[in-house]
Amino acid sequence: MLGRLNHIAIAVSDLGAATALYRDTLGAEVSEPQPLPEHGVTVVFVVLPNTKVELLEPLGEKSPIAAFLERSPAGGIHHICYEVSDILAARDRLKAEGKRVLGDGEPKIGAHGKPVLFLHPKDFNGTLVEIEEA
Amino acid sequence: MLGRLNHIAIAVSDLGAATALYRDTLGAEVSEPQPLPEHGVTVVFVVLPNTKVELLEPLGEKSPIAAFLERSPAGGIHHICYEVSDILAARDRLKAEGKRVLGDGEPKIGAHGKPVLFLHPKDFNGTLVEIEEA
């Protein structure tokens, strides 16, 4: 069921500084900042040869990462995203095993234009897991 | 400078349960548990098509992940590991930019038999970063 690691998302309070760190200090390829108002974040993609790191800065008043940054002002890994080939089949299998899917359990269109779901960190080793149909 | 994402390391308090979660519930390929007494952990490798997740359980009395699990008993992402082609050149560049390298700054042989260094989370968006020469 589990496919590629699509990305690691790192919440940051200063996207400019985090982008400079990855671009200038770590020498990675980075994208321009992309505001995603419908997701409450501005994102910069760090392009690695085999996957992506996504640097997320809160955007707007109801950002889903605002509370995380209040607890961890220095930032930190917010979630990891695995690809699945059939998100509804994946959801039903997880639910059948007693794992909690966040929200109403219906996939939403994520930041890459594909259906996504988030899984409860308490059921996944303290890790917020996103699954994305790819 | 930054190469592939080598792995994401997730600290867990119950390696058997975490392995079953990834193998049976998430349907991923997992390795046998490998005790690494010199690193203070037992590790299970979760093999994804493009990278690895490493599930780490404390081993012995001085495990480097014991304090983390005391703070976060449910587990969580402990570090991420990026590959670099020349670890001494990477270290010197990072130090020249004022970034802190943990320990005495000399690469140690990591769990994969290759030279590694760990970087201070406060200098990397609250993320413990390992670099490994690959």
Side-chain angles (χ1 to χ4, degrees):
Chain A
M1 179 166 114
L2 218 53
R4 297 173 72 256
L5 176 81
N6 186 276
H7 64 269
I8 299 171
I10 300 180
V12 303
S13 53
D14 182 340
L15 188 57
T19 303
L21 174 71
Y22 271 85
R23 181 190 58 218
D24 303 333
T25 304
L26 291 170
E29 180 188 342
V30 302
S31 75
E32 291 296 310
Q34 301 185 19
L36 301 171
E38 70 279 24
H39 294 286
V41 295
T42 302
V43 60
V44 163
F45 298 96
V46 179
V47 184
L48 302 177
N50 60 333
T51 188
K52 292 189 299 284
V53 172
E54 299 188 3
L55 304 172
L56 306 179
E57 182 186 64
L59 176 64
E61 291 185 0
K62 285 190 175 175
S63 174
I65 62 169
F68 180 94
L69 284 168
E70 276 170 28
R71 288 194 303 275
S72 304
I77 296 173
H78 183 263
H79 66 266
I80 55 178
C81 176
Y82 297 122
E83 296 178 359
V84 297
S85 56
D86 181 335
I87 199 163
L88 294 177
R91 175 197 65 186
D92 293 346
R93 175 168 166 174
L94 292 168
K95 286 175 76 172
E97 302 240 3
K99 305 305 178 192
R100 286 166 283 182
V101 176
L102 298 185
D104 64 6
E106 294 305 315
K108 302 285 183 293
I109 298 302
H112 312 133
K114 296 178 176 172
V116 302
L117 284 168
F118 283 88
L119 311 177
H120 201 303
K122 288 197 177 167
D123 293 341
F124 292 88
N125 307 301
T127 304
L128 178 60
V129 173
E130 180 181 16
I131 53 174
E132 175 176 305
E133 190 166 279
Chain B
M1 177 167 116
L2 219 55
R4 297 173 72 258
L5 177 81
N6 186 277
H7 64 269
I8 299 172
I10 301 179
V12 304
S13 53
D14 182 340
L15 188 58
T19 303
L21 174 71
Y22 270 85
R23 181 188 58 218
D24 304 333
T25 304
L26 290 170
E29 180 189 342
V30 302
S31 76
E32 291 297 310
Q34 301 185 19
L36 301 171
E38 70 279 24
H39 294 287
V41 295
T42 302
V43 61
V44 163
F45 298 96
V46 179
V47 183
L48 303 177
N50 60 332
T51 189
K52 294 190 297 283
V53 172
E54 299 188 4
L55 304 172
L56 306 179
E57 183 186 62
L59 176 65
E61 291 185 2
K62 285 189 176 177
S63 175
I65 63 170
F68 180 94
L69 284 167
E70 277 170 28
R71 287 193 306 272
S72 304
I77 296 173
H78 183 263
H79 67 265
I80 55 179
C81 176
Y82 297 122
E83 297 177 358
V84 296
S85 56
D86 182 335
I87 199 163
L88 294 178
R91 175 196 65 184
D92 292 345
R93 176 169 165 172
L94 292 168
K95 287 176 77 171
E97 303 241 0
K99 305 305 177 191
R100 284 167 283 183
V101 176
L102 298 185
D104 63 5
E106 293 306 313
K108 302 285 184 292
I109 298 303
H112 312 133
K114 296 178 178 173
V116 303
L117 284 169
F118 283 88
L119 311 178
H120 201 303
K122 289 198 178 166
D123 293 339
F124 292 89
N125 307 299
T127 304
L128 179 59
V129 173
E130 181 182 16
I131 54 175
E132 175 177 304
E133 189 166 280

